[in-house]
Amino acid sequence: MNDVTELKEIARRMRVDILTMIHAAGSGHPGGSLSAIDMLVALYCGAMDHGPDRKKSDRRDKFVLSKGHGAPALYAVLAECGYFGREHLKTLRQYESILSGHPYAPSTPGVEITTGSLGQGLSQANGLALANRLDGRDTFVYAMMGDGETQEGQIWEAAMSAAHFKLGNLIAFLDNNELQIDGFVCDIMGIEPIGKKWEAFGWHVQEIDGHDFGQIFAAIDNAKKVTGKPSLIWAHTVKGKGVSFMERLAKWHGTAPSTDELNKALAELGEKA
């Protein structure tokens, strides 16, 4: 599905789901979930070859959410795609729920890899991509990192190894919302020049607006044509995108909205509380 109008409507509904489930849990990470959701909708509802009826098939694309605290966004699209019932969304972070605070593969249908310890997801995606190639599977592995996450040393070990093994079947998104829990990424541990660093590590790099579906799909199409090296889609995003009082504020990295704040956010998204 590449109908932009329909994808925007799905993303709007996913934003409602993200905020509603985090409010019900009383904890979670709305800011980075809202910045990532457009790219996840583009992947799961358009670009990726996957489906809940193909969970055991080796011939499917895979996704690793390296920025594991963005799990509410992943859960919203997995429910949308039918991996589990929507009734589970309201159980986020509850005892015996299938939806943990970070993606936990053994309990959540559709989650390929358990993530949450920042910096490790890209290494795991490398392994999946290398296994696909060794087994002769022409499928793709997608990963998503946060910009603050790239302060982790393991990211650069993974970047180096992906280029060394010429993983052209690996496409990674960098959700560059410029904020982490303690403030602006540039003030805490600057990561610029981002594009030049990844290129120096041997990656094909594209810079896009991570909320523009046309740019997201074009970048994915371009990345699929690259052979012999992994691809980074450097996506500029807005933390808290879609809710005016959450946008560009570090406060909303890991804060659940109150009932009044939820109602205000839902009204902005055109949804009744």
Side-chain angles (χ1 to χ4, degrees), residues 179-201:
L179 285 161
Q180 57 192 106
I181 191 168
D182 292 324
F184 285 99
V185 171
C186 61
D187 293 332
I188 294 165
M189 180 67 76
I191 58 174
E192 292 284 356
I194 298 172
K196 290 182 179 177
K197 284 180 178 173
W198 285 88
E199 286 174 349
F201 272 73

Side-chain angles (χ1 to χ4, degrees), residues 17 27 48 56-57 59 84 100 103 106 120 131 137 155 157 166 168 171 179-180 190 200 217 231 247:
D17 285 341
S27 64
M48 284 176 56
K56 295 183 179 180
S57 170
R59 301 285 174 181
F84 50 80
S100 299
Q120 298 181 1
R137 296 189 288 265
I155 287 290
E157 294 179 47
K166 298 179 173 52
I171 300 173
L179 285 161
Q180 57 192 106
F217 283 116
S231 283
E247 290 188 355

Side-chain angles (χ1 to χ4, degrees), residues 21 25 71-72 74-76 78-79 84-104 107-109 111:
M21 74 174 88
L74 179 59
Y75 297 155
L78 289 176
F84 50 80
R86 288 179 50 78
E87 68 275 12
H88 290 285
L89 295 179
K90 59 186 177 184
T91 71
L92 173 70
R93 289 178 173 246
Q94 293 180 17
Y95 180 61
E96 293 189 340
S97 170
I98 65 168
L99 306 181
S100 299
H102 295 80
Y104 181 55
S107 67
T108 309
V111 170

Side-chain angles (χ1 to χ4, degrees), residues 2 19 42 79-80 87 104 115 125 150 193 207 227 232 241 243 273:
N2 285 1
L19 295 167
E80 173 73 14
E87 68 275 12
Y104 181 55
T115 56
T150 64
E207 185 177 2
T227 58
L232 178 78
K241 177 68 174 179
V243 180

